[in-house]
Amino acid sequence: MSDQSVITAETIGTAARFDPQLRIPLRPRLRRGLLVSREADQLVVTGPPKKQLFRGKSATDLLPALLALLDGSRTHAELAGELGRPEEVVFKTLSLLWTCGIVEEGPPEGAEPQVSGIDDHLADYLSRVGSATEANACWEQAAVRLRSAEVEIFGDPGLATLLHDELTGSIPVTLGTGSTPTERTTLVVWADTEVSGAGTDTLAEYCWEKGIPLLRLRVRGRRAALGPLVDPRTTPCLNCLSTDDENDDRTTAAADHGLAAALFARDLFAAVSRTTPTPLPMRWRLVDLETLGQSDTSAATRPGCPRCSVAEGPVVERVAPGTRFEASVAMPPKEFADLKAHQMHYKPSNLALQRLSRTWPVAPAVELLPPEHDRLNQQWPVAQPGPDTLSLLLSVTAGIKADGAEKVARWTASGGNIGSVTAYAVVRDVPGFAPGIYGYVAAGHRLARLSSQVDGVPGNQALSLVLTGDFPKVARKYSAFALRIVLLDSGCAQATAREAAHALGISFALRPRWDDDTVAAALGINPDTEPITAVIDLGVAP
């Protein structure tokens, strides 16, 4: 196990003291269905979503004794007393065990009648894999979610029956017999095939008006769409969500409907119980039933849609790319948030990202004056950029305030504290600096001279700042969501630069447009991986 993938008890225990999203069980118990085995120098736990190994003296001394006491009846203080250990040590150990999916909260008061009769295998599963999302403090909460659901299936009779059989035993489910669901239904499923018949629009309209979520399974040829989920509280309508539906010319194989039903049932179970991750409700899966290739997709409200748009005018059949991107990375409603994903903030590999930045090691280094941040506390007369103001502007726009043992502090807000903004100074007329293009080395507060040519960034102001986003660095943690963070970080940096320039009396102008390829060539970057997010002109033409 690499050091960059190990979360220590010290790290997560310290974080759990102030982070409300780290919900350490108050009366912890061992999750059901786990296998704990002790080896010579380590403790191995099998059964959680990921196999866990604990090494060191505490793993063979403290952990076995602690695990034996975790039955959901004792508080942290009571556990510490029985073990003869400080409560702080017990808390940090429990924090680590919770993060690793070993413990959960004890049974909630009054839960027994609600979960009586639950199959032991189902209870073991809900408990054992519940740490995949940490949406439920204990397995009983997931069981109550399942028992409280009332799923009614409409559409293709054959596919509907397959779905019914897959879900029976875990979720209350019935086959719809009319054109509209019963009053007790909490989730409607539409089994959509070439022979499912008419009625989709009527059913979707009824569910939309009544506020009943509708989840669709669509099979065409050998292609299945496990969604979308339509919920008037959080999503566009079915017509908007199905704009990009595609047909498949291949002939459906005999087992395709059974396979599609099983895959769909898994996502439906995950969405209702919240025990395992699912792209629902904001996205859904597209599956090739021949190759099992999968991809996630999403859609957005079409401007002018009479059902779910506030925009007036004709319906726009194809929404803008920017809107589609926002829909593809949109955060789910709070009830679908996964606490497990939040724990990834404390992985050493993610914490290390805040100290990574570009340095241009082979470029000539150019020192900057120490930034005088106190100058920003007053308003200065109009001036041209100088060596002191260039240093100060770069510091607050893309620089580091302090590098502590636990955290890098920045002058400007940054998503995940990763620091995605890279600044370039295009110097045309700044005393003490030869004209040229410089990269800002945030870690050392200095410049790297990249080029003596400034023509690639057109302009005649004394100084231009070009801001780019380190997309690959942010994507290591946030994947496709990284682009949104890069753009948000740039907005914060631009706002900081504007306020600082105003205080220093320096003219500030954001360019509304520029040629990406030309500017990227001048900076020596690839705009596909380091997008240019702002070009700022400072000072006036000499």
Side-chain angles (χ1 to χ4, degrees), residues 103-408:
V103 299
E104 64 182 347
E105 188 61 78
E109 186 176 349
E112 181 60 32
Q114 295 177 295
V115 299
S116 63
I118 291 287
D119 182 82
D120 283 341
H121 293 296
L122 177 58
D124 287 349
Y125 177 80
L126 295 175
S127 178
R128 182 173 61 81
V129 305
S131 69
T133 64
E134 290 293 0
N136 302 296
C138 57
W139 72 265
E140 288 90 348
Q141 290 183 357
V144 169
R145 291 180 191 269
L146 292 170
R147 283 204 159 178
S148 301
E150 291 286 349
V151 178
E152 193 169 1
I153 307 174
F154 294 83
D156 182 299
L159 185 55
T161 299
L162 291 170
L163 282 173
H164 178 274
D165 293 345
E166 287 285 345
L167 295 169
T168 297
S170 58
I171 301 178
V173 57
T174 59
L175 293 173
T177 56
S179 59
T180 58
T182 62
E183 291 185 2
R184 67 176 185 275
T185 298
T186 61
L187 175 65
V188 168
V189 171
W190 177 257
D192 182 12
T193 68
E194 294 92 337
V195 297
S196 56
T200 310
D201 291 340
T202 302
L203 182 64
E205 182 68 28
Y206 180 87
C207 291
W208 186 266
E209 290 180 355
K210 298 296 184 180
I212 304 172
L214 183 148
L215 182 58
R216 185 196 65 172
L217 167 60
R218 183 177 191 267
V219 180
R220 292 294 187 276
R222 307 207 67 184
R223 181 182 177 88
L226 313 183
L229 175 66
V230 183
D231 188 337
R233 297 171 300 171
T234 56
T235 75
C237 67
L238 182 60
N239 285 344
C240 289
L241 291 173
S242 58
T243 299
D244 294 327
D245 280 346
E246 296 181 2
N247 290 322
D248 189 280
D249 294 334
R250 292 172 294 177
T251 302
T252 305
D256 281 351
H257 280 191
L259 176 58
L263 294 171
F264 181 80
R266 182 269 171 204
D267 280 4
L268 189 153
F269 180 92
V272 173
S273 69
R274 302 292 293 113
T275 50
T276 53
T278 172
L280 298 169
M282 311 308 291
R283 295 173 290 281
W284 62 97
R285 290 193 293 162
L286 302 178
V287 182
D288 187 304
L289 299 173
E290 180 179 11
T291 66
L292 291 184
Q294 300 183 27
S295 63
D296 284 2
T297 190
S298 62
T301 291
R302 300 166 299 163
C305 174
R307 224 180 248 112
C308 61
S309 173
V310 296
E312 298 180 356
V315 179
V316 176
E317 291 301 324
R318 187 74 173 175
V319 298
T323 304
R324 292 172 60 81
F325 169 73
E326 286 295 320
S328 71
V329 299
M331 300 294 288
K334 185 177 180 179
E335 63 186 280
F336 283 90
D338 289 350
L339 295 185
K340 192 67 175 184
H342 180 73
Q343 294 174 25
M344 295 302 101
H345 284 291
Y346 300 101
K347 285 182 61 177
S349 57
N350 286 334
L351 291 174
L353 293 174
Q354 62 185 321
R355 290 186 169 84
L356 298 179
S357 62
R358 297 204 62 179
T359 58
W360 301 277
V362 299
V366 179
E367 297 302 318
L368 289 166
L369 293 174
E372 301 177 15
H373 297 103
D374 289 343
R375 294 190 63 191
L376 297 176
N377 294 330
Q378 57 182 300
Q379 182 65 52
W380 294 85
V382 176
Q384 284 283 76
D388 53 348
T389 52
L390 172 59
S391 172
L392 184 52
L393 284 167
L394 287 171
S395 173
V396 297
T397 300
I400 293 173
K401 185 176 182 180
D403 190 348
E406 298 294 331
K407 182 180 180 181
V408 172

